[in-house]
């Protein structure tokens, strides 16, 4: 038998390919983050501007710790060390609040940099949406830890929700330049990577279970709603005004590039 079905949800909670596919998705997330930020660090080094504020270092440590924990948890389940998996999972109670605080603070500190173009102040809608989407899903995943099928999908989708910075640093500006302005071009340029991962999770369930898990559906809708809101806010003048006020830039126009 290759799968088992929970009576409560009538959803096959386990499939013989689950460990391999989930591990593969987590490694893709790692690759996107390391590649994207690696490219960014190289650019910053060439420009001689690697002097980051303390909050940025704390942000990197916290989100990096989550990625390490996620990969560790996947390995522990794969090697059947479930008890240790559950004990380590309690670290979410510390990491998730820190991710919320430091993710938001980093966006604000970055926006407060001198001579920040209006376009990048507006882009704070994406940064805030990333944090909100991630934190809500990880919290839901922790609360659903007694339901293995829902738990692993929510934890995976919560991590996918915050992969945008890695993907955007790889190809975002190139896509944006080619596709031009507008809601759809913006969405594709910024979110095509996360969209592909969300679709991949659903496609796997459809292939192996012939249905989508309710937790996946809810998480996907939540991610898409956050991304749509961030896309809409990016083009709203009132949002730019709020972000100028939040970051101490006043209302002067510094250009859109």
């Amino acid at each position: 038998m290759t799968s088992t079905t929970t009576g409560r949800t009538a959803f096959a909670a386990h499939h013989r390919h689950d460990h391999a596919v989930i591990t593969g998705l987590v490694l893709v997330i790692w690759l996107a983050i390391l590649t994207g930020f690696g490219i960014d660090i190289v650019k910053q080094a060439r420009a001689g501007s690697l002097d980051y504020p303390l909050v940025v270092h704390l942000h990197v440590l916290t989100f990096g710790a989550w990625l390490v924990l996620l990969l560790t948890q996947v390995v522990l389940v794969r090697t059947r060390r479930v008890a240790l998996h559950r004990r380590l999972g309690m670290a979410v109670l510390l990491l998730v609040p820190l991710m919320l605080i430091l993710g938001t603070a980093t966006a604000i500190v970055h926006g407060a940099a001198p001579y920040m173009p209006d376009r990048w102040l507006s882009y704070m809608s994406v940064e805030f949406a990333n944090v909100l989407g991630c934190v809500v899903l990880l919290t839901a995943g922790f609360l659903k830890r007694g339901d293995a099928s829902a738990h692993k999908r929510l934890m995976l989708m919560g991590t996918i929700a915050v992969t945008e910075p890695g993907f955007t640093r790889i190809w975002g500006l190139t896509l944006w330049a080619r596709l031009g302005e507008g809601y759809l071009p913006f969405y594709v340029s910024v979110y095509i990577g996360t969209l592909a991962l969300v679709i991949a999770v659903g496609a796997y369930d459809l292939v192996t279970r012939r249905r989508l898990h309710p937790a996946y559906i809810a998480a996907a809708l939540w991610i898409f709603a956050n991304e749509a809101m961030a896309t809409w806010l990016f083009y709203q003048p009132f949002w730019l005004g709020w972000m100028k006020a939040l970051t101490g830039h006043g209302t002067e126009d510094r250009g859109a590039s």
Side-chain angles (χ1 to χ4, degrees):
M1 182 177 293
T2 61
S3 64
T4 60
T5 304
T6 62
R8 181 163 60 103
T9 63
F11 186 91
H14 305 287
H15 188 279
R16 62 191 178 93
H17 295 308
D18 282 1
H19 292 318
V21 170
I22 291 175
T23 302
L25 287 169
V26 171
L27 291 177
V28 169
I29 291 171
W30 265 88
L31 180 63
I33 296 297
L34 290 177
T35 302
F37 281 92
I39 291 172
D40 193 54
I41 289 172
V42 170
K43 289 180 179 179
Q44 296 294 329
R46 289 176 176 173
S49 55
L50 281 177
D51 186 18
Y52 297 110
L54 176 61
V55 67
V56 175
H57 293 289
L58 295 175
H59 167 80
V60 170
L61 287 174
T62 301
F63 280 81
W66 167 250
L67 290 176
V68 171
L69 177 62
L70 178 66
L71 183 57
T72 301
Q73 294 292 72
V74 169
V75 172
L76 289 175
V77 171
R78 189 182 183 102
T79 55
R80 302 184 185 279
R81 288 179 283 180
V82 178
L84 180 55
H85 170 92
R86 290 172 178 166
R87 289 197 296 272
L88 282 180
M90 300 306 291
V92 169
L93 294 174
L94 173 63
L95 286 178
V96 168
L98 286 175
M99 291 165 75
L100 175 61
I101 295 169
L102 293 171
T104 303
T106 298
I108 294 172
V109 169
H110 177 255
Y115 312 113
M116 181 60 65
D118 287 354
R119 176 181 294 268
W120 299 116
L121 288 174
S122 294
Y123 199 82
M124 289 171 68
S125 65
V126 174
E127 296 171 319
F128 288 155
N130 290 342
V131 176
L132 180 63
C134 171
V135 166
V136 168
L137 291 180
L138 294 185
T139 300
F142 178 78
L143 295 175
K144 294 289 288 184
R145 61 193 182 279
D147 181 347
S149 58
H151 171 73
K152 61 187 176 184
R153 282 163 181 79
L154 288 168
M155 288 303 192
L156 182 60
M157 294 287 279
T159 308
I160 290 173
V162 79
T163 56
E164 173 276 325
F167 286 118
T168 300
R169 282 167 169 78
I170 298 172
W171 56 55
L173 290 177
T174 300
L175 287 177
W176 206 347
R178 291 184 178 180
L179 297 178
E181 293 293 341
Y183 294 108
L184 184 58
F186 180 90
Y187 182 89
V188 172
S189 300
V190 174
Y191 292 119
I192 188 64
T194 59
L195 176 63
L197 288 177
V198 169
I199 291 175
V201 175
Y204 175 71
D205 278 349
L206 288 176
V207 170
T208 57
R209 276 83 167 184
R210 300 295 188 267
R211 58 167 293 189
L212 298 175
H213 194 285
Y216 166 80
I217 295 173
L221 291 175
W222 171 251
I223 290 173
F224 294 148
N226 272 277
E227 293 175 348
M229 180 59 70
T231 300
W232 180 75
L233 284 174
F234 176 82
Y235 286 104
Q236 303 312 306
F238 77 85
W239 176 257
L240 175 59
W242 288 358
M243 294 305 99
K244 285 183 175 182
L246 180 63
T247 56
H249 285 296
T251 59
E252 70 276 11
D253 183 11
R254 288 176 306 285
S257 61

